[in-house]
Amino acid sequence: MRLPPTPRVLFLRELVGEVLRVAPLGRVIVAVDGRGVERFADALAEVFEEAGNDTFRASITDFHRPRADRTRLGPETPESYYRHSYDYRTLRRVLLDPFRLAGSTGFQLAAFDEVRDVPVESRWLTAGPDAVLIIDGEFLLRPELRDRWDASVLVVSAPEDPVYEADARPREHSDLLVDNSDPAHPIRA
């Protein structure tokens, strides 16, 4: 299916082209970092699919830690939210590492339902050798995750999270900076 050539689609096609030039073969993992970037990541996935790629979508929000774990040392603060909100070990174990292995290795796109505060019973999925995984959410360019991505897009917003900025310096470590303040006309930041 060919998407209509809107300014947004044309911009996303350029991004997809850049990612595929860097990682033309094998499985590709793209991080879309920022708050409220789900729609941008969904649109990027549509353009990858338009280009003929088997594409999967995940969100870091589906890898939260249980509320009791996050607040065991007291109420959530910006610092504790940054440090303890997400279960990166499970993210790597059930999604990133198995996805990277290719072949018939299964992976899961979600592990925890934050709203219900319970683990998710996910289906194990498999994909072809040249599949694309797009994962969205905040804090994806933190030091312990940076090397997991073939490409990273930082959707800049104001204000940035000061704890994240100080610890991770995401602007310095992203491959592509995008200003999506006008979703119909995203531009390079």
Side-chain angles (χ1 to χ4, degrees):
M1 171 180 104
R2 192 89 175 135
L3 297 170
T6 64
R8 180 180 181 85
V9 168
L10 295 173
F11 177 81
L12 292 171
R13 284 179 183 157
E14 286 180 27
L15 292 184
V16 166
E18 288 183 43
V19 170
L20 294 177
R21 278 190 290 282
V22 172
L25 299 172
R27 292 204 176 164
V28 175
I29 303 176
V30 179
V32 178
D33 189 322
R35 289 185 183 156
V37 296
E38 296 85 6
R39 287 188 179 155
F40 184 88
D42 288 342
L44 185 62
E46 287 178 20
V47 174
F48 268 105
E49 289 172 354
E50 175 190 56
N53 296 281
D54 192 12
T55 306
F56 294 85
R57 279 283 290 117
S59 179
I60 194 67
T61 59
D62 294 322
F63 290 89
H64 262 281
R65 296 176 55 161
R67 200 168 292 117
D69 289 355
R70 296 190 323 253
T71 59
R72 76 178 188 280
L73 300 175
E76 259 181 356
T77 65
E79 174 90 19
S80 70
Y81 184 76
Y82 172 67
R83 303 261 179 236
H84 306 293
S85 283
Y86 298 105
D87 187 347
Y88 300 112
R89 185 172 301 145
T90 298
L91 173 72
R92 288 188 298 268
R93 184 175 49 81
V94 303
L95 178 56
L96 301 180
D97 293 345
F99 185 85
R100 183 72 71 198
L101 288 174
S104 61
T105 304
F107 55 91
Q108 293 180 357
L109 297 174
F112 196 80
D113 181 336
E114 181 193 19
V115 173
R116 294 177 39 227
D117 200 33
V118 296
V120 172
E121 189 172 325
S122 291
R123 294 183 314 140
W124 287 91
L125 304 170
T126 60
D130 294 325
V132 174
L133 170 64
I134 299 174
I135 182 165
D136 73 72
E138 58 191 349
F139 312 143
L140 295 179
L141 290 171
R142 60 190 301 131
E144 63 265 41
L145 291 178
R146 281 184 205 136
D147 65 342
R148 301 292 177 155
W149 322 126
D150 295 297
S152 59
V153 178
L154 177 62
V155 179
V156 295
S157 62
E160 302 289 339
D161 182 292
V163 178
Y164 181 42
E165 285 293 318
D167 182 62
R169 299 182 321 277
R171 287 176 182 258
E172 295 176 26
H173 295 283
S174 68
D175 297 313
L176 305 160
L177 289 174
V178 173
D179 178 346
N180 194 44
S181 53
D182 178 359
H185 299 88
I187 58 172
R188 292 290 179 102

